[in-house]
Amino acid sequence: MCGIVGVVSTAPVNQLIYDALLLLQHRGQDAAGIVTQQERKFYMHKAKGMVRDVFRTRNMRALPGNIGLGQVRYPTAGNAASEEEAQPFYVNAPFGIVMVHNGNLTNAKQLRAELADTDHRHTNTDSDSEVLLNVLAHELARATSGAPLKSVDVFKAVRAVHKRVRGSYAVIALIAGYGLLAFRDPYGIRPLCIGHGADGSVMLGSESVALEGNLYTLERDVAPGEAVYIGLDGKVQAEQCAEKSSLHPCIFEYVYLARPDSVMDGISVYQARLNLGESLAKRVISTVPPSEIDVIIPIPESSRPSAMQLAQLLGLPYREGFVKNRYVGRTFIMPGQGARKKSVRQKLNAISSEFKGRNVLLVDDSIVRGTTSKEIVQMARDAGANKVYLASAAPPVRFPNVYGIDMPTKSELVAHDRTVEEIRQVIGCDALIYQDVDGMKKAIGALNPGVNGFEASCFDGIYVTGDISEGDIAALNAGRTGGAEEGDVDTSRLSLPNAQDA
C-alpha cells in the first residue's frame, strides 16, 4: 500500500504535489518522493521519512515545472531499509520515463529474469516497482519502433504490460516531452481516481481526498484495466487495455487503509464503516447481551464510525476512552513486531474515568497480528475496567496478503489456525466478537452494485487473480527484507482456495 499522485497543469506543480502527498501520508510513512519536468528535463528529490521531513524549502525550489508526480511509500516488497527503493523510479530509454506504483507484483521474479535474458534490461534494486517500470519501458520501445510517441502506441504498450504483469498495480508514469500515463490492474485491486481543477489542470491520485483537498473536482475512478494518457496540453485520452476486466477492489481499503473522507470506486469509506458497525451489532447481540455492556469505546481512529453506529443501534453510551498521540505512525504499517509493540503505549493513553468499574466493549477496525489488541486490552484493565470485551468490525485475518498489504506470513496472523476462543485467550479479553465475511462484503458492496466483488483474500483465502499458490507466497516472502520479521515464513499448512471457485 502506497499513495501516488500525478498532475498536469499550466502552473508550477511542486507545491500541489507536496500538498497532495500530505493528504495521502496515511498510506505510507517510510519514504517520499517527487519528480517534475521542465523542458524535457526531470527534477527529482526522494528520501526515507515523512513528507514534511523529506522536503525542505531548498528541495521544493529545485523542483520546477508544470507536470509531475509523487509517492509516499509503505514497503511490501524489496528492502524497507533501502533509500534507493524510494520512488519515483527512472529509466532513460525510451524517451525517459519516471514512474510511481501502488501495489505488489506476484510474478516479479519471473519478470526480472525475462528482463535480463530476453529484454536485455537491467534492474538495480529488489523493488517490484522497478521491474514494472522496465516492463513498461520495454513495451513502449516495441510499440514505437524508434518513432515519436503517439497515443495509440501508449495504449498498445499498456495492453502488452497487462499480458505480462500479474498482481496489483495502480501506476502513474511521466514520459519526458509527451505527458502523463496512468493505468490500473484488470481487477482494480488498488485504487486510482482522476479529477480536474478550475483552470483545466488534471490530477490523478490514490484517493479522492488528495484531489478534493486541493480544490480539484473528482471526476471518476480509473476503471480496472484502463489506461489514461494526458498530454502536456492537458488533453485526456482513455482506453480499456485489458482483454478481461472486473472490478474487485481491496476490501481492506474500506476497513482500515483509506481515509474516511475518501470515496473509492463509488463507495464512501465513511459510510462503509458505518455499515460495518450496523452489521457488527447483530454479532455482538448474539455473543454479549447489551445489558452486560456499560459503554462502547473505539480504538482510534479507523474504528470510530463503526463504534458510533454500533453504540446507537444497541442504545449504549459511546465514549472516547483513548487519547491518541498523532505524532506516532500507524502501528499496523510499522516494519517489525518490536517496533509495533513498543509504539502502542506511546501512541495511545487511556482515560481512567471512562474505564473504572465498567464493563467496556472496545471496537477495533480489524485485528491482524493481535499484538496491539493484547496491549490495549491490558491498558483497559490497568485503567480499572471490570470486564473488557473486544469487537472487530472486520472478520478474522487468517490468510497472507500478496497484493500490497503488510500481512504476508501466516505466523504473524493471530487468527491463523486458531478458533475465536483461542484468539480470545491470546488477546486476553473477556469476550471476542468478529464480523463475518459475508456480512462484511454485503455491508460494503451494498453501497455500489457496480462492484463485481472484492479482493478479500486475507479474510477468505480467495486470491482474485487466480494464480497464487503456496510456493508463490513463500517466494514473495523470501524476497522481503523489510516489513515482516525474519524467519517467519511457513506456508506448509496454508489453504488456498482457487479464485475461480468463488
Side-chain angles (χ1 to χ4, degrees):
M1 180 192 76
C2 299
I4 61 175
V5 63
V7 184
V8 178
S9 180
T10 56
V13 296
N14 53 352
Q15 186 66 50
L16 185 59
I17 295 173
Y18 176 93
D19 293 342
L21 291 182
L22 283 178
L23 292 166
L24 295 174
Q25 184 73 86
H26 60 286
R27 299 188 65 87
Q29 300 164 13
D30 177 72
I34 293 176
V35 64
T36 58
Q37 176 193 296
Q38 185 179 57
E39 297 177 354
R40 296 185 70 94
K41 184 176 180 180
F42 292 141
Y43 297 84
M44 184 188 303
H45 180 69
K46 60 180 182 177
K48 285 180 63 63
M50 307 276 273
V51 174
R52 65 173 182 261
D53 299 320
V54 169
F55 298 99
R56 302 294 185 181
T57 301
R58 64 181 181 277
N59 307 128
M60 297 298 290
R61 287 174 176 165
L63 294 169
N66 300 343
I67 182 170
L69 44 79
Q71 192 226 34
V72 286
R73 179 179 187 244
Y74 150 56
T76 57
N79 189 342
S82 172
E83 193 156 297
E84 291 181 356
E85 294 188 14
Q87 296 188 36
F89 276 108
Y90 163 76
V91 292
N92 72 335
F95 311 112
I97 307 169
V98 283
M99 189 195 82
V100 289
H101 163 222
N102 174 29
N104 204 51
L105 304 190
T106 57
N107 66 335
K109 184 177 180 180
Q110 172 192 332
L111 290 170
R112 198 182 300 276
E114 291 177 5
L115 286 169
D117 299 338
T118 306
D119 301 345
H120 301 155
R121 299 190 70 92
H122 176 254
T123 55
N124 203 49
T125 71
D126 295 325
S127 173
D128 62 336
S129 300
E130 188 188 16
V131 170
L132 180 54
L133 171 58
N134 276 274
V135 171
L136 173 62
H138 179 76
E139 297 303 336
L140 279 169
R142 289 183 61 192
T144 55
S145 299
L149 183 68
K150 302 186 293 293
S151 60
V152 64
D153 302 321
V154 172
F155 298 129
K156 181 179 179 181
V158 175
R159 281 194 291 272
V161 169
H162 285 323
K163 291 177 180 178
R164 294 182 65 180
V165 173
R166 298 288 178 268
S168 64
Y169 48 96
V171 172
I172 306 175
L174 176 53
I175 306 171
Y178 289 97
L180 211 61
L181 166 65
F183 56 93
R184 199 172 171 195
D185 69 74
Y187 291 93
I189 298 172
R190 301 263 72 87
L192 190 63
C193 61
I194 184 171
H196 288 82
D199 60 354
S201 58
V202 183
M203 179 183 286
L204 293 134
S206 294
E207 296 185 32
S208 61
V209 67
L211 280 62
E212 294 166 345
N214 285 293
L215 303 181
Y216 276 66
T217 300
L218 174 65
E219 181 181 335
R220 64 181 180 88
D221 295 279
V222 176
E226 182 184 25
V228 176
Y229 179 55
I230 308 163
L232 298 178
D233 59 357
K235 180 182 178 182
V236 178
Q237 301 177 68
E239 189 171 307
Q240 176 56 250
C241 295
E243 292 180 353
K244 294 181 181 179
S245 64
S246 178
L247 182 56
H248 283 73
C250 173
I251 205 164
F252 208 68
E253 291 276 1
Y254 304 99
V255 170
Y256 173 83
L257 299 178
R259 272 181 50 151
D261 46 344
S262 285
V263 176
M264 302 165 68
D265 290 308
I267 296 174
S268 160
V269 176
Y270 183 77
Q271 187 61 53
R273 292 173 185 170
L274 289 176
N275 286 13
L276 288 173
E278 184 173 341
S279 179
L280 183 61
K282 302 169 187 175
R283 305 281 293 184
V284 171
I285 292 171
S286 66
T287 307
V288 180
S291 60
E292 295 185 12
I293 303 171
D294 296 319
V295 63
I296 292 177
I297 295 176
I299 298 173
E301 299 204 8
S302 307
S303 64
R304 281 189 173 123
S306 297
M308 285 190 293
Q309 191 75 345
L310 177 62
Q312 181 178 349
L313 291 171
L314 297 185
L316 293 168
Y318 169 92
R319 293 288 186 270
E320 293 284 345
F322 295 103
V323 175
K324 180 180 179 182
N325 179 355
R326 299 178 184 275
Y327 301 98
V328 176
R330 300 178 87 177
T331 54
F332 170 74
I333 64 175
M334 286 183 176
Q337 289 286 69
R340 291 186 189 96
K341 186 172 182 179
K342 180 181 177 182
S343 71
V344 173
R345 300 233 174 193
Q346 296 173 338
K347 178 180 177 181
L348 294 176
N349 190 44
I351 302 174
S352 297
S353 60
E354 296 298 338
F355 292 92
K356 192 171 183 178
R358 291 177 172 177
N359 295 342
V360 299
L361 173 62
L362 304 180
V363 180
D364 209 347
D365 49 73
S366 58
I367 302 170
V368 180
R369 297 166 175 86
T371 308
T372 299
S373 301
K374 184 177 181 179
E375 287 285 317
I376 290 174
V377 167
Q378 188 58 48
M379 286 174 65
R381 294 199 190 281
D382 293 344
N386 181 30
K387 288 189 176 181
V388 182
Y389 309 121
L390 177 62
S392 170
V397 177
R398 299 189 183 278
F399 302 93
N401 183 284
V402 300
Y403 299 121
I405 302 176
D406 187 20
M407 49 178 75
T409 58
K410 71 174 186 178
S411 63
E412 290 184 285
L413 307 177
V414 69
H416 188 84
D417 277 348
R418 288 190 177 103
T419 65
V420 173
E421 173 58 21
E422 289 171 337
I423 302 167
R424 183 197 68 77
Q425 292 176 15
V426 171
I427 292 174
C429 52
D430 294 291
L432 177 60
I433 306 101
Y434 274 108
Q435 183 80 257
D436 66 284
V437 175
D438 289 340
M440 173 187 63
K441 291 180 179 179
K442 289 177 182 177
I444 300 176
L447 298 174
N448 183 4
V451 173
N452 303 117
F454 292 99
E455 196 299 298
S457 56
C458 58
F459 301 113
D460 60 16
I462 299 171
Y463 296 87
V464 297
T465 55
D467 60 346
I468 304 300
S469 68
E470 295 178 14
D472 292 327
I473 292 177
L476 286 167
N477 283 300
R480 296 175 80 254
T481 57
E485 292 188 302
E486 298 296 325
D488 57 5
V489 178
D490 176 14
T491 60
S492 59
R493 297 169 59 194
L494 182 63
S495 174
L496 297 171
N498 191 292
Q500 272 68 33
D501 298 332

